[in-house]
Amino acid sequence: MTQIQRFNFVARKLWLTLLLALIAMLAGCRDTRIHVSPEQPQQGDMLWIVVDNEENDEVDYVTVTYADQTKIGYGMPAYFTLDTCKDTQPYLTRLEIDAVTTYVDGATGSEDREVDLTRGAASTEDEDLDYAVYLAGTSHDDLRDDSIDMAEAFMDEFDAYSNSQYLTAEPRFFTRQSDTYANSADLVIAWGHGNHHTINPAGETIDLSTTGYGNFRPCGGSGDAEYMVFFSCLTLSLRDDDGNGWRYYWVNRIATQSDLRPFSGLHMALGFRSEVRTRWIFGTDGADLFEEFAANLDSGDRVVDAWQEAVGDELSFLFGDNRGTVMYLQVYEDDTIFSVTDDYILGNIDYHLVADYWE
Amino acid sequence: MSAQPARRFFLTGLLLLPSLWMTSAQAQLQVSPEMYERISSAASASYAYYPADTARHDELLRHIDAWADARIGLNNAREFKGGSPQRSTWVIERAVNTPLFPAGEPGRGLSPEQPFRIKYVKKAAGRSFVKSIRMPVSRRMDEEQVIKTGRHFIEAAGFVVTSEADRIGEPMVIARLLDVLQPGSTKPKTLVVLQRAIFSRSLDGLEVFNSRQIVDVHPETGEILAWKGLDWAPAQESGRKAVKALPAEQLLDAIKNAYRDTASTYHVTAVNEGMYQSAEMIFPVLAVTVERQADKSGQRAPKRTLYIPLTEIGGS
C-alpha cells in the first residue's frame, strides 16, 4: 500500500468514526420521555399517557404499548388515554408502558415505564379531617334515642376531627350516593340493627359486601373514608356465611376482583361480631362507650386499641354479647387517628385483612 | 357505666317514682310467667343500700395516683384534657419496657422493637393504667393463672378496699385475639394479644353490676399490660340501711314505662337482682334484659338491660 493509499484509508476510517460518533451523539439527544397524568395514578383513574421527545421535529412517529394495546402517535407530544376503572375494564394492578420512537432518519429510540395502580396516595384525598354521624332512623324506636345519646357523647368529647354530617341514616348514604355521604368523611359512625356483613339503620337492609369505600371509589375520584364504625349486631361477624369465609364479604380476591367490596381503600371497619347489649339507668352505657372511644382517639391511641379498650371498659361481656371487633389491613395496625397513610387494593402486597376481636 | 352526681340521681329518682304508678296501654312489652315469677321473687326480699365512703375512696384514689406517678412520672408525661372536666389523660413514651409483675417481683418481660406508650387516665369512674405493647403470640396462659395473676396484682397494690360484706367477686377471663391470614396462605392463624381478667364485686352477696377491676396479662410473659379500677368506691358500712323491695307491680310498671312510646314488641328475657354504684350510693337494682321481637328482615336489634331501683332510697 502506497503512502497515499495508506493516508486515504486512515482518513476514511477517521471520517467513519467521526460520523458514527456524531450519530451516537445525536441519538443521545433524542430522549423519549413518558409522562402520566395523574402523576401518581391509581386504579380507577382516566389515565393520560404523554410521550414526548427532546427533538420533536426529528420524530416520525411513536409506537406505544400498554395494557395489551398498541397505538401509534404521529406528531409529538403524542397523547394516549386509558380508562383504568375496573367497572368497565379488566382489573389492572400495574401498567407497563413501552414507547418506541422512530425518527425521520430511520433511527429508533425506546423508553419504558412501570406504574403501580394499587396504591392510592393519601395526598390525593381531601385534606380536611372530618367525621360523619348517621343516626338510627325513627322506625327503630328501640335504638333511635340511644343513638342520639351515643352520637352526642362522641361529639362532645372528640376534638381531632371536625363534624361534617349529623344525619338520620339512609341506605343511599352507603350505596348510590356514598360519594356525598359515607365515603366523604374520614371517619363514619352508623347505628342500626344488623347481621353478618349487613346493617339496617332505618328499615332497609344494606348489604355492605356490595359497597365500596376509600380512595379507589368512585372510579376517577378519591373517596375519603378510612374508618367506619358500625354500632349494630353481628355486622362484623367472623363466622362463615353462605359457604364463604368472613373475608369474602369485606375484601376482594382474584375471583371477585371486579366486584365492589368495602375495603376499596378503607383502612378499618369497627363494630361487633356478636349481638350488642347496652345497659340503661341514668343513661346508656353506649354513651360511655363512645365518650371513651373519642377520648382514646384524641389521646393518640392506636385506632384499633381505642375501640377495643372502650368496648372492654364500658360494655358488659356477659351472655356472649358486645364482642368488639376491628377488621383492618395489617399495614394500618399501628395507625392513630392522626396517621396519614396511603390506601391499597387487591394486587398490592399490603392488601390483606386481619381481625382483632374480643373472644 | 360511669358514676353520676347525687343531684342528678335524685332528680332522676323523683322522675322515676311517679312512673311506677303509671299503667301503660301502648307498651308492647311481654313478660312471661317465668320472668314475672323472678320479678315477684325479687320484690318479696329485703335489701340494703349504702352510702359510698367518699373519704376512703378519695384516699384510695390518691394512693393509686401515687403508684402511677412512681411508674411514669406524671409531671414528665403529656397531659390531655378531655371534654369532661373530670377526665385527664397522661401519656408518656418509653423505649425500654420495665415489666410489671403482680408483687413487683423481677422477671423477664417483653422487649418491644419500637417505643411504646404508657397511658394513665383519671376519670369520674376511676383510674386506668395501660401499656400499649402489642406483641401477640400463639400461646395462651391457663385461665386460672390469669385470674391468680390479676388478683395478686390488685391485692398487692392495694387497689381495692374489701371487707366481709364487700368483696372481690366472681372473675371472668376473656382474650383479645387476632385472626391473621398471611398472603399466599389459605389457613388463618389465631394469635393472642392479651388475656383480661375482669373481677366483679360482691356486696351483701349481690353483684354490683358496674363495679369492676380489670387486669390485662401478656399470655407469654405473664406481665401486667394494663390495670383499670372502675366504679368501685368502698361502701360506708356504718351507713347501711335495710329496706324492703318495692312491690312487684310497681317494678313491672317501671319496666313497661320504659317502653310506653314504642310501636314494636319486646320481651323480657332475663331478670337478676344486684346492686349499682353511683357517685354517692350503692343501691339494689333489678337488672331486666329486654329484647325486641325479631322481624322478617333477619336483622338483630341491640338488646337492653334496664337497671330498675329495687327499693326506695331513704325509705324503710
Side-chain angles (χ1 to χ4, degrees):
Chain A
M1 191 186 279
T2 64
Q3 265 192 330
I4 291 174
Q5 285 172 326
R6 197 176 294 118
F7 174 79
N8 285 339
F9 176 75
V10 170
R12 275 198 298 274
K13 266 216 171 294
L14 193 59
W15 166 239
L16 203 58
T17 305
L18 283 172
L19 184 62
L20 284 171
L22 183 63
I23 290 171
M25 195 177 71
L26 287 173
C29 289
R30 292 172 167 179
D31 187 21
T32 298
R33 294 179 298 262
I34 301 172
H35 308 278
V36 292
S37 176
E39 271 189 42
Q40 294 180 84
Q42 62 190 55
Q43 190 197 82
D45 285 340
M46 178 62 77
L47 192 63
W48 283 88
I49 302 167
V50 182
V51 184
D52 202 354
N53 194 287
E54 288 216 2
E55 299 294 335
N56 282 344
D57 292 341
E58 296 182 21
V59 172
D60 192 0
Y61 61 90
V62 62
T63 308
V64 177
T65 307
Y66 57 89
D68 296 329
Q69 301 174 46
T70 300
K71 297 199 174 168
I72 297 177
Y74 297 93
M76 297 292 268
Y79 297 91
F80 308 90
T81 61
L82 176 66
D83 180 5
T84 66
C85 180
K86 71 172 185 181
D87 296 356
T88 54
Q89 304 294 334
Y91 191 91
L92 290 171
T93 58
R94 310 194 74 74
L95 197 62
E96 289 179 13
I97 307 168
D98 293 301
V100 175
T101 305
T102 304
Y103 298 93
V104 293
D105 61 9
T108 59
S110 65
E111 179 66 21
D112 58 73
R113 185 168 170 180
E114 199 169 312
V115 175
D116 174 11
L117 298 172
T118 65
R119 183 179 73 92
S123 57
T124 64
E125 294 182 30
D126 175 358
E127 280 183 6
D128 295 338
L129 293 176
D130 50 11
Y131 68 97
V133 161
Y134 300 137
L135 307 171
T138 51
S139 60
H140 291 338
D141 50 26
D142 56 324
L143 186 55
R144 168 74 180 179
D145 287 347
D146 280 359
S147 71
I148 292 171
D149 289 344
M150 289 186 238
E152 288 180 357
F154 183 83
M155 293 165 69
D156 283 348
E157 183 68 37
F158 191 50
D159 293 326
Y161 291 5
S162 59
N163 178 234
S164 59
Q165 293 176 349
Y166 177 84
L167 300 166
T168 297
E170 297 177 41
R172 64 189 172 99
F173 292 3
F174 301 89
T175 56
R176 67 183 189 281
Q177 287 185 295
S178 61
D179 310 344
T180 311
Y181 294 98
N183 208 13
S184 71
D186 299 274
L187 167 66
V188 175
I189 307 174
W191 284 263
H193 298 174
N195 213 320
H196 199 299
H197 68 274
T198 59
I199 186 168
N200 183 319
E204 189 178 324
T205 299
I206 302 157
D207 180 349
L208 292 166
S209 72
T210 63
T211 61
Y213 313 100
N215 199 337
F216 290 83
R217 303 303 303 182
C219 277
S222 295
D224 246 5
E226 264 109 41
Y227 310 102
M228 296 189 77
V229 180
F230 300 103
F231 187 90
S232 52
C233 294
L234 298 161
T235 300
L236 268 61
S237 173
L238 301 180
R239 292 177 184 236
D240 289 356
D241 186 61
D242 205 20
N244 296 307
W246 61 270
R247 285 179 172 84
Y248 174 86
Y249 298 95
W250 294 93
V251 289
N252 292 103
R253 51 182 68 167
I254 303 289
T256 64
Q257 63 186 13
S258 298
D259 299 339
L260 280 178
R261 284 295 187 271
F263 282 85
S264 300
L266 185 70
H267 293 200
M268 289 186 194
L270 306 93
F272 301 91
R273 66 176 183 84
S274 67
E275 300 206 26
V276 175
R277 183 169 60 90
T278 58
R279 296 170 296 176
W280 199 96
I281 181 162
F282 304 117
T284 170
D285 59 356
D288 297 326
L289 161 71
F290 277 95
E291 179 185 329
E292 194 70 17
F293 178 46
N296 289 344
L297 289 173
D298 274 342
S299 65
D301 285 5
R302 296 186 189 94
V303 179
V304 180
D305 291 339
W307 178 252
Q308 294 292 60
E309 289 296 311
V311 167
D313 291 358
E314 302 300 337
L315 302 184
S316 168
F317 284 134
L318 289 179
F319 311 127
D321 295 329
N322 299 328
R323 296 305 198 259
T325 300
V326 182
M327 295 175 182
Y328 58 97
L329 298 190
Q330 190 159 20
V331 66
Y332 303 125
E333 186 161 270
D334 290 328
D335 277 10
T336 72
I337 206 75
F338 307 103
S339 298
V340 177
T341 41
D342 297 336
D343 292 4
Y344 304 102
I345 53 169
L346 177 69
N348 191 285
I349 194 169
D350 285 321
Y351 190 75
H352 65 270
L353 199 66
V354 174
D356 180 313
Y357 62 103
W358 286 106
E359 190 176 24
Chain B
M1 215 177 303
S2 59
Q4 300 293 319
R7 189 165 68 96
R8 186 171 169 190
F9 163 69
F10 283 112
L11 280 173
T12 307
L14 283 172
L15 286 168
L16 186 59
L17 283 172
S19 73
L20 296 177
W21 286 270
M22 285 174 62
T23 56
S24 170
Q26 297 107 332
Q28 300 290 321
L29 183 71
Q30 297 190 355
V31 183
S32 67
E34 182 197 350
M35 292 299 126
Y36 184 81
E37 178 57 35
R38 300 281 300 269
I39 296 169
S40 295
S41 173
S44 65
S46 293
Y47 301 91
Y49 64 86
Y50 296 79
D53 191 335
T54 50
R56 278 211 298 172
H57 193 211
D58 288 344
E59 186 186 338
L60 181 63
L61 292 176
R62 283 194 294 271
H63 164 68
I64 296 168
D65 292 342
W67 177 90
D69 190 26
R71 266 139 201 91
I72 66 173
L74 296 178
N75 285 339
N76 298 325
R78 185 177 168 197
E79 186 177 353
F80 296 83
K81 282 285 188 191
S84 158
Q86 297 168 301
R87 185 188 186 103
S88 285
T89 301
W90 286 265
V91 176
I92 198 158
E93 201 166 87
R94 289 267 189 264
V96 176
N97 178 34
T98 304
L100 191 58
F101 289 101
E105 65 271 33
R108 195 176 68 83
L110 298 168
S111 299
E113 290 177 357
Q114 305 287 337
F116 63 95
R117 289 154 38 103
I118 302 179
K119 184 172 86 166
Y120 184 64
V121 181
K122 282 191 196 179
K123 52 187 180 178
R127 301 290 189 263
S128 75
F129 179 93
V130 180
K131 295 169 89 173
S132 297
I133 298 178
R134 189 178 171 91
M135 295 180 71
V137 294
S138 54
R139 61 160 287 184
R140 256 181 219 253
M141 181 179 280
D142 179 74
E143 285 192 2
E144 284 305 314
Q145 186 58 41
V146 176
I147 293 168
K148 196 173 159 187
T149 299
R151 189 161 191 141
H152 188 188
F153 175 75
I154 294 165
E155 289 173 342
F159 284 169
V160 157
V161 175
T162 58
S163 68
E164 187 60 33
D166 189 2
R167 314 166 106 171
I168 296 176
E170 288 301 310
M172 173 189 183
V173 175
I174 186 167
R176 197 166 139 198
L177 304 174
L178 294 184
D179 181 314
V180 179
L181 183 66
Q182 293 299 337
S185 172
T186 55
K187 198 167 179 221
K189 197 172 164 184
T190 300
L191 299 175
V192 186
V193 178
L194 55 88
Q195 287 176 268
R196 173 168 287 195
I198 305 171
F199 296 92
S200 65
R201 178 184 185 184
S202 170
L203 181 57
D204 287 350
L206 292 174
E207 184 184 343
V208 184
F209 291 126
N210 61 327
S211 296
R212 55 231 182 273
Q213 294 279 323
I214 293 170
V215 181
D216 291 346
V217 176
H218 191 268
E220 193 161 83
T221 63
E223 66 189 276
I224 310 298
L225 294 177
W227 164 81
K228 303 175 190 193
L230 303 168
D231 296 306
W232 199 311
Q236 192 178 80
E237 293 186 31
S238 59
R240 182 179 189 273
K241 286 279 192 287
V243 282
K244 286 184 187 169
L246 292 165
E249 288 308 318
Q250 288 180 4
L251 296 173
L252 205 51
D253 281 346
I255 302 164
K256 286 181 182 175
N257 194 51
Y259 288 86
R260 66 178 175 184
D261 294 325
T262 60
S264 308
T265 302
Y266 295 85
H267 301 267
V268 173
T269 56
V271 173
N272 297 98
E273 305 111 286
M275 301 190 86
Y276 184 83
Q277 181 186 296
S278 67
E280 278 78 25
M281 310 287 287
I282 310 164
F283 56 94
V285 294
L286 197 64
V288 180
T289 299
V290 179
E291 296 184 32
R292 178 174 159 149
Q293 183 163 292
D295 58 25
K296 293 176 196 170
S297 71
Q299 299 285 292
R300 300 292 298 164
K303 298 178 270 190
R304 183 192 258 195
T305 296
L306 303 171
Y307 290 150
I308 308 288
L310 257 173
T311 68
E312 287 185 28
I313 308 298
S316 61

